Amino acid sequence: MQLRYNYRLSPTPGQRQALARAFGCARVVFNDGLRARTDAREQGLPYVPDGELSTRVITQAKQTPERSWLGEVSAVVLQQALADLNKAYRNFFASITGKRQGPKVAPPRFRSRKDNRQAIRFTRNARFQVTAGGKLRLPKIGDVPVRWSRDLPAEPSSVTVVKDGAGRYFASFVIEVAEQPLPQVEPEAGIDLGLSAFAVLSNGRKIDSPRFLRRAEKKLKRLQRELSRKAKGSNNRAKARQQVARQHAKVADARREFHHQQSTKLIRDTQAIYVEDLAVKGLARTRLAKSVHDAGWSQFLTMLEYKAVLYGRVFHRIDRWFPSSKLCSECGALAESMPLNVREWTCPCGAAHDRDVNAAKNILAAGRAERLNACGAQVRPGPGLAQREEAGSLRGVA
């Protein structure tokens, strides 16, 4: 499987100018290609093929006075910008024809020099390399110092140089990594994600929510107030904007590190993990939007999924409409309603439940049942989790 390894770059002032030139050239080629296809569609002309588009906006454009400066950067950077445009069009066409699953994909849009993120990509054809001194050698840019946090496990197939909104530079290497199965363990876990507690496991363990954004709100409020007082277009406003961006970057970095630590621990300690297929986009449009974004559930689940594949674990999502909170994990009775303010409840069978722990137990049982069903076993509604475990129907699941 392919993984990305990100490292911080520390380019010199001259290299920053060279990178800015490369970002601009890649952006212009992308926009020229998009404009050519847009004009052809508006004029009723055929769709411009990839090869013809490359000749028109790169090869021929370099020979004109208006675009002669495209020759100052690596040709691979320009070709990869067009490759991104072609991929965006393919995804758009596949989306509107129904060949692509998931939400509808919008058509490509023009890139702006004011975008928070600027990126260029070098493939092996560009002959980039990591020097013996530990620097990243990029064509027509030079040897850029890298802050190596760990060694690369293999030879990278490509590297993407990214400048984020906080003005930081990163190198993102694509590495082909072989699966590294961990020794099998017995525990399996159902996970109920929440806001009061970040995650609750079926064994009763609760992972507190660090709420990184909430903790940084006071400082962000002050920085944003200072930003609003700066004159538009001034250098002071640009500096203030970057200070706000850096604070947001710190929050995102802390959240990402927390997700990595918790996902790695869960993968090491459990053989199978079951979670709900949450509608995060829908929840992000409610009054809980800030807390939902602060939790970062999608990023956490993505980490669990790829780490499960990498380390030979099982990761399974259950239906988002499964009533995990309203279902008694002991007898299987379904409550009529369960408002969010109800954190503890007692079933008519006499079982007292913590809302989140009960939901995690039900997620575990439902995930196991779905896996048994996928393997060809007959699964039908029956008693609650405790009775099914006593009957042994949930044992021996790999």
Side-chain angles (χ1 to χ4, degrees):
M1 63 182 298
Q2 288 186 337
L3 294 179
R4 284 192 175 274
Y5 284 73
N6 297 328
Y7 301 89
R8 182 80 177 269
L9 297 179
S10 301
T12 64
Q15 291 170 346
R16 290 172 185 264
Q17 292 180 0
L19 286 170
R21 190 182 305 114
F23 291 144
C25 290
R27 184 175 61 248
V28 166
V29 167
F30 183 95
N31 290 341
D32 286 348
L34 178 56
R35 188 176 295 106
R37 282 178 172 162
T38 302
D39 292 344
R41 178 178 59 82
E42 293 176 349
Q43 297 171 12
L45 300 176
Y47 179 81
V48 183
D50 297 351
E52 180 182 341
L53 187 66
S54 176
T55 302
R56 185 187 305 181
V57 302
I58 297 180
T59 307
Q60 295 178 355
K62 287 181 180 180
Q63 301 172 3
T64 63
E66 296 81 7
R67 292 287 188 266
S68 59
W69 35 264
L70 290 177
E72 298 177 3
V73 302
S74 171
V76 173
V77 169
L78 307 181
Q79 291 291 348
Q80 290 303 307
L82 272 189
D84 291 340
L85 176 63
N86 297 333
K87 183 177 180 180
Y89 266 109
R90 287 195 298 270
N91 291 339
F92 172 62
F93 293 146
S95 178
I96 60 178
T97 56
K99 297 180 181 179
R100 179 185 174 92
Q101 298 180 352
K104 294 296 182 181
V105 177
R109 67 169 183 86
F110 290 100
R111 293 178 176 178
S112 171
R113 63 184 178 85
K114 296 182 180 180
D115 288 343
N116 290 333
R117 184 180 184 274
Q118 302 287 339
I120 52 175
R121 185 167 62 252
F122 298 88
T123 62
R124 286 176 178 169
N125 292 336
R127 297 184 180 180
F128 72 90
Q129 63 175 328
V130 178
T131 66
K135 294 184 177 182
L136 176 60
R137 180 167 296 167
L138 300 174
K140 297 191 177 181
I141 293 176
D143 294 351
V144 184
V146 184
R147 302 182 189 179
W148 297 104
S149 56
R150 53 179 171 174
D151 294 333
L152 289 174
E155 190 72 20
S157 60
S158 69
V159 60
T160 302
V161 179
V162 180
K163 181 185 179 183
D164 66 5
R168 304 178 302 176
Y169 293 84
F170 294 91
S172 178
F173 297 93
V174 175
I175 306 292
E176 188 71 30
V177 179
E179 295 184 8
Q180 309 164 21
L182 292 173
Q184 289 199 0
V185 293
E186 290 296 329
E188 297 184 354
I191 301 178
D192 179 60
L193 298 176
L195 299 177
S196 56
F198 174 74
V200 179
L201 276 61
S202 52
N203 60 6
R205 177 189 165 213
K206 294 187 177 182
I207 302 175
D208 294 333
S209 179
R211 301 180 181 179
F212 295 106
L213 181 59
R214 296 287 186 182
R215 285 159 49 186
E217 273 186 328
K218 185 176 181 180
K219 186 171 183 179
L220 276 170
K221 184 178 180 180
R222 175 177 61 81
L223 293 174
Q224 288 167 340
R225 188 185 298 117
E226 293 176 358
L227 173 62
S228 67
R229 293 171 179 164
K230 307 300 181 184
K232 291 187 177 180
S234 66
N235 290 334
N236 285 337
R237 184 177 179 86
K239 294 176 183 177
R241 185 209 61 79
Q242 194 168 73
Q243 287 182 344
V244 174
R246 285 176 179 172
Q247 186 61 32
H248 276 293
K250 288 182 180 179
V251 172
D253 290 345
R255 183 187 298 116
R256 189 182 306 107
E257 179 66 16
F258 170 76
H259 288 165
H260 271 299
Q261 291 176 353
Q262 297 300 328
S263 59
T264 300
K265 181 175 177 57
L266 286 169
I267 290 295
R268 286 177 177 173
D269 296 344
T270 54
Q271 184 64 32
I273 295 176
Y274 307 97
V275 299
E276 285 182 300
D277 185 18
L278 297 173
V280 178
K281 287 187 177 180
L283 292 171
R285 292 193 293 266
T286 66
R287 60 185 178 86
L288 301 174
K290 182 179 287 188
S291 297
V292 170
H293 286 301
D294 196 8
W297 293 330
S298 293
Q299 178 177 255
F300 177 69
L301 294 181
T302 300
M303 290 182 182
L304 279 177
E305 190 167 12
Y306 87 75
K307 290 180 182 180
V309 175
L310 179 62
Y311 296 113
R313 300 305 198 206
V314 174
F315 178 85
H316 183 75
R317 298 175 190 256
I318 68 169
D319 186 7
R320 66 182 55 170
W321 303 111
F322 176 70
S324 59
S325 297
K326 298 191 295 182
L327 189 67
C328 176
S329 58
E330 296 294 331
C331 68
L334 184 64
E336 293 184 1
S337 63
M338 190 67 60
L340 286 176
N341 61 342
V342 177
R343 309 314 302 175
E344 296 181 356
W345 59 285
T346 302
C347 180
C349 71
H353 296 296
D354 177 289
R355 177 194 181 101
D356 298 329
V357 175
N358 176 69
K361 290 180 179 179
N362 286 324
I363 291 171
L364 172 63
R368 284 170 162 173
E370 288 183 6
R371 286 186 59 211
L372 282 173
N373 192 28
C375 293
Q378 293 184 354
V379 179
R380 45 185 165 75
L385 173 62
Q387 285 79 1
R388 290 197 296 270
E389 285 183 339
E390 290 177 2
S393 62
L394 298 182
R395 294 178 183 172
V397 181

